[in-house]
Amino acid sequence: MASSPPPVVNYPRPHLEGQGPICPKCQGNQTREVKYTWWGGLVGPKMMNLQKCEACRFQFNRKTNKGVLNAIIAYNVILLAIAFVFLFAVANMR
């Protein structure tokens, strides 16, 4: 009876000093922290720990290694709701 080969385990590549985290999409190690975006200004990227891969341009959360599209949408919906409530309150102060 032949034994089967051991299962292949894909461990994440180590984080090299002086380089950003590994990109979850292309496994590239040329990532950088995003400081400012059009949708979140200075606060949004900081809240989401946003990293961007220089090779494939994928943006991801450096703590969870997941994409941030859903978080960006939620962030903007919440900001829009806050702005609407604020404008409604200011308009009804008369």
Side-chain angles (χ1 to χ4, degrees), residues 39 72-90:
W39 53 263
I72 291 170
I73 292 169
Y75 178 83
N76 283 303
V77 167
I78 290 168
L79 283 180
L80 185 62
I82 290 170
F84 180 75
V85 168
F86 177 74
L87 290 174
F88 183 77
V90 168

Short mmCIF file of all heavy atoms in Angstrom, two decimals, residues 39 72-90:
data_model
loop_
_atom_site.label_atom_id
_atom_site.label_comp_id
_atom_site.label_asym_id
_atom_site.label_seq_id
_atom_site.Cartn_x
_atom_site.Cartn_y
_atom_site.Cartn_z
N TRP A 39 -11.45 59.40 -1.43
CA TRP A 39 -12.68 59.03 -0.76
C TRP A 39 -12.60 59.16 0.76
O TRP A 39 -13.62 59.23 1.42
CB TRP A 39 -13.07 57.59 -1.11
CG TRP A 39 -11.98 56.59 -0.87
CD1 TRP A 39 -11.12 56.10 -1.81
CD2 TRP A 39 -11.61 55.98 0.35
NE1 TRP A 39 -10.24 55.23 -1.24
CE2 TRP A 39 -10.52 55.14 0.11
CE3 TRP A 39 -12.09 56.07 1.66
CZ2 TRP A 39 -9.90 54.38 1.09
CZ3 TRP A 39 -11.47 55.32 2.64
CH2 TRP A 39 -10.40 54.49 2.35
N ILE A 72 -14.72 50.74 2.29
CA ILE A 72 -14.78 52.06 1.66
C ILE A 72 -16.23 52.47 1.44
O ILE A 72 -16.62 53.60 1.73
CB ILE A 72 -14.00 52.07 0.34
CG1 ILE A 72 -12.51 51.94 0.61
CG2 ILE A 72 -14.29 53.34 -0.45
CD1 ILE A 72 -11.67 51.70 -0.63
N ILE A 73 -17.04 51.54 0.95
CA ILE A 73 -18.45 51.84 0.72
C ILE A 73 -19.14 52.17 2.04
O ILE A 73 -19.88 53.17 2.14
CB ILE A 73 -19.14 50.66 0.00
CG1 ILE A 73 -18.59 50.54 -1.43
CG2 ILE A 73 -20.66 50.83 -0.01
CD1 ILE A 73 -18.99 49.28 -2.15
N ALA A 74 -18.91 51.37 3.07
CA ALA A 74 -19.52 51.62 4.38
C ALA A 74 -19.07 52.97 4.94
O ALA A 74 -19.87 53.73 5.48
CB ALA A 74 -19.18 50.50 5.34
N TYR A 75 -17.80 53.28 4.82
CA TYR A 75 -17.24 54.54 5.30
C TYR A 75 -17.95 55.72 4.65
O TYR A 75 -18.37 56.67 5.32
CB TYR A 75 -15.74 54.56 5.00
CG TYR A 75 -15.03 55.83 5.40
CD1 TYR A 75 -14.60 56.03 6.69
CD2 TYR A 75 -14.77 56.83 4.46
CE1 TYR A 75 -13.94 57.19 7.07
CE2 TYR A 75 -14.11 57.99 4.82
CZ TYR A 75 -13.69 58.17 6.12
OH TYR A 75 -13.04 59.30 6.47
N ASN A 76 -18.13 55.66 3.33
CA ASN A 76 -18.77 56.77 2.62
C ASN A 76 -20.27 56.86 2.90
O ASN A 76 -20.82 57.96 2.98
CB ASN A 76 -18.51 56.66 1.12
CG ASN A 76 -17.12 57.10 0.79
OD1 ASN A 76 -16.74 58.23 1.09
ND2 ASN A 76 -16.33 56.23 0.20
N VAL A 77 -20.94 55.74 3.08
CA VAL A 77 -22.37 55.77 3.43
C VAL A 77 -22.56 56.40 4.80
O VAL A 77 -23.45 57.24 5.00
CB VAL A 77 -22.98 54.35 3.37
CG1 VAL A 77 -24.34 54.30 4.03
CG2 VAL A 77 -23.06 53.87 1.93
N ILE A 78 -21.70 56.05 5.75
CA ILE A 78 -21.79 56.63 7.10
C ILE A 78 -21.52 58.13 7.07
O ILE A 78 -22.24 58.92 7.69
CB ILE A 78 -20.84 55.90 8.06
CG1 ILE A 78 -21.35 54.49 8.32
CG2 ILE A 78 -20.68 56.66 9.37
CD1 ILE A 78 -20.37 53.58 9.01
N LEU A 79 -20.50 58.55 6.33
CA LEU A 79 -20.22 59.98 6.21
C LEU A 79 -21.36 60.74 5.56
O LEU A 79 -21.71 61.84 5.97
CB LEU A 79 -18.93 60.22 5.43
CG LEU A 79 -17.63 59.96 6.18
CD1 LEU A 79 -16.44 60.24 5.27
CD2 LEU A 79 -17.54 60.79 7.43
N LEU A 80 -21.96 60.15 4.53
CA LEU A 80 -23.09 60.77 3.86
C LEU A 80 -24.28 60.90 4.81
O LEU A 80 -24.95 61.95 4.84
CB LEU A 80 -23.48 59.97 2.62
CG LEU A 80 -24.57 60.56 1.75
CD1 LEU A 80 -24.14 61.90 1.17
CD2 LEU A 80 -24.92 59.60 0.63
N ALA A 81 -24.53 59.87 5.61
CA ALA A 81 -25.63 59.92 6.58
C ALA A 81 -25.39 61.01 7.64
O ALA A 81 -26.30 61.75 7.99
CB ALA A 81 -25.81 58.56 7.24
N ILE A 82 -24.15 61.11 8.11
CA ILE A 82 -23.82 62.15 9.10
C ILE A 82 -24.01 63.53 8.49
O ILE A 82 -24.57 64.43 9.13
CB ILE A 82 -22.39 61.96 9.62
CG1 ILE A 82 -22.32 60.70 10.49
CG2 ILE A 82 -21.92 63.17 10.41
CD1 ILE A 82 -20.92 60.28 10.85
N ALA A 83 -23.56 63.72 7.26
CA ALA A 83 -23.71 65.01 6.59
C ALA A 83 -25.19 65.35 6.40
O ALA A 83 -25.61 66.50 6.60
CB ALA A 83 -22.99 65.00 5.25
N PHE A 84 -26.00 64.35 6.02
CA PHE A 84 -27.43 64.58 5.83
C PHE A 84 -28.10 64.99 7.13
O PHE A 84 -28.89 65.94 7.16
CB PHE A 84 -28.09 63.31 5.25
CG PHE A 84 -29.56 63.46 5.03
CD1 PHE A 84 -30.04 64.20 3.97
CD2 PHE A 84 -30.47 62.86 5.90
CE1 PHE A 84 -31.40 64.34 3.76
CE2 PHE A 84 -31.83 63.01 5.70
CZ PHE A 84 -32.29 63.75 4.64
N VAL A 85 -27.79 64.30 8.22
CA VAL A 85 -28.37 64.64 9.52
C VAL A 85 -27.95 66.04 9.94
O VAL A 85 -28.76 66.83 10.44
CB VAL A 85 -27.97 63.59 10.58
CG1 VAL A 85 -28.31 64.05 11.99
CG2 VAL A 85 -28.65 62.26 10.28
N PHE A 86 -26.68 66.36 9.76
CA PHE A 86 -26.19 67.69 10.11
C PHE A 86 -26.89 68.78 9.30
O PHE A 86 -27.36 69.77 9.85
CB PHE A 86 -24.68 67.76 9.87
CG PHE A 86 -24.09 69.10 10.15
CD1 PHE A 86 -23.91 69.54 11.44
CD2 PHE A 86 -23.73 69.96 9.09
CE1 PHE A 86 -23.38 70.80 11.70
CE2 PHE A 86 -23.20 71.19 9.33
CZ PHE A 86 -23.04 71.63 10.66
N LEU A 87 -27.01 68.59 7.99
CA LEU A 87 -27.68 69.59 7.14
C LEU A 87 -29.16 69.69 7.49
O LEU A 87 -29.72 70.79 7.48
CB LEU A 87 -27.50 69.24 5.67
CG LEU A 87 -26.08 69.42 5.13
CD1 LEU A 87 -26.00 68.90 3.69
CD2 LEU A 87 -25.65 70.86 5.22
N PHE A 88 -29.80 68.59 7.80
CA PHE A 88 -31.20 68.61 8.18
C PHE A 88 -31.37 69.39 9.50
O PHE A 88 -32.31 70.17 9.64
CB PHE A 88 -31.73 67.17 8.32
CG PHE A 88 -33.18 67.11 8.66
CD1 PHE A 88 -34.14 67.33 7.67
CD2 PHE A 88 -33.62 66.80 9.93
CE1 PHE A 88 -35.48 67.27 7.96
CE2 PHE A 88 -34.94 66.73 10.24
CZ PHE A 88 -35.90 66.98 9.25
N ALA A 89 -30.47 69.17 10.45
CA ALA A 89 -30.55 69.87 11.74
C ALA A 89 -30.32 71.36 11.57
O ALA A 89 -31.00 72.18 12.18
CB ALA A 89 -29.53 69.28 12.70
N VAL A 90 -29.37 71.74 10.72
CA VAL A 90 -29.08 73.16 10.49
C VAL A 90 -30.25 73.82 9.78
O VAL A 90 -30.64 74.95 10.12
CB VAL A 90 -27.78 73.32 9.68
CG1 VAL A 90 -27.62 74.74 9.18
CG2 VAL A 90 -26.59 72.90 10.51
#
